[in-house]
Amino acid sequence: MKKILVLALTLALALGCCATAQATTYLALGTGGTSGTYYALGADIAALWMANIADLDVSVQPTDASKDNIIFIQDGEIDLATVQNDAMAYAYEGNEFYGNEVFDGFYAIGTLYPEAVQCVVAAGSDIHTVADLKGKNVSVGAQGSGTYMNAEQVLASGGLTMADINPQYLSFAESATAFQDGQIDAAFLTSGVPNTAIVEITTKSPVRVLAPSEEEWAFLTENYAYYVPYTIAAGTYEGMTEDAVVPAVMATLIVSKDADADLVYELTKVLFEKTGDLTHAKKAEISAEAAVNGVPTPFHPGAARYYAELGLEVVAGE
């Protein structure tokens, strides 16, 4: 009898352990390169979620950012991601950036902060306009990244295409190293300000940020509705002696359409009600009120439920 009781107790404990393991929800959060804001902020948000939602395990995945993240969600390889709002719109449209294929397997949770399209050159460089990049070695971001897309559009504003420069498809960290080693003349980086890779560059070389001319601004606003002006203040980076007004998009948190509505509600609620517990400096720009602006796709029903509780109207997916 004792053996039977011991065996029964052992089995019950084993089943209990299995039940606990099965109850854990595992999520993968796609971000960007390890030197970018997406990765650092993503890790901070993941930690916040796990500290406030029981039985949740969120792994943070470094990726080549926006385009890849959207495709990964569509393919079921990740569950959440930080992406640019312009990349979201292009994915739903299925334009040439996505090979004319629609990628609409995601909904929005909300925007997080503005991302500046920063094209940096050495402070003493003879490159003063976008057109001056012709024939130069220029990092345009990893292929598939939002940075690449932005670089292509900014180049177009100056009458250039990728064929007019020597494009280098580098991550933020690789751009910093290549810039310091003199292998590139300029680098595009779309991110929050300040960008850690640019800060790294300035430890060896002061920089200047190119600001579009009036004509280039007119081209950008006429052709790309998501760009807004963003001022990078003088002194933000070593070598900047004056403000630079550059185009910016919005970093946005997205989630798979298949994600559970109750879980997404909790993720959204924790993010915006516990923002103060984040450690990343970008927390100062994150709020529920701002999160509903600049979103070109439907919101996940779980996120929409949270916004409705705050009296904020959004377009929810089915």
Side-chain angles (χ1 to χ4, degrees), residues 67-141:
K67 180 181 177 182
D68 281 0
N69 285 342
I70 287 170
I71 294 172
F72 290 157
I73 285 184
Q74 184 98 355
D75 293 343
E77 296 181 32
I78 59 176
D79 307 286
L80 303 124
T82 40
V83 301
Q84 295 175 197
N85 61 345
D86 50 348
M88 295 166 62
Y90 297 146
Y92 263 62
E93 294 169 5
N95 74 357
E96 65 275 6
F97 190 65
Y98 289 88
N100 298 314
E101 183 178 351
V102 171
F103 288 86
D104 60 357
F106 65 93
Y107 286 137
I109 288 181
T111 60
L112 299 173
Y113 61 89
E115 295 187 275
V117 182
Q118 303 164 80
C119 181
V120 297
V121 299
S125 171
D126 59 357
I127 300 172
H128 295 281
T129 67
V130 173
D132 291 339
L133 294 172
K134 185 173 183 178
K136 303 296 186 181
N137 296 318
V138 183
S139 172
V140 294

Side-chain angles (χ1 to χ4, degrees), residues 14-27 53-58 260 263:
L15 290 173
C17 291
C18 291
T20 300
Q22 291 174 352
T24 300
T25 299
Y26 295 93
L27 298 176
I53 301 175
D55 300 316
L56 181 66
D57 188 323
V58 184
D260 178 75
L263 175 59

Side-chain angles (χ1 to χ4, degrees), residues 117 139-140 146-156 162 188 227:
V117 182
S139 172
V140 294
T147 294
Y148 175 87
M149 178 171 55
N150 299 140
E152 192 170 48
Q153 294 164 353
V154 171
L155 287 170
M162 288 291 174
F188 280 93
Y227 284 127

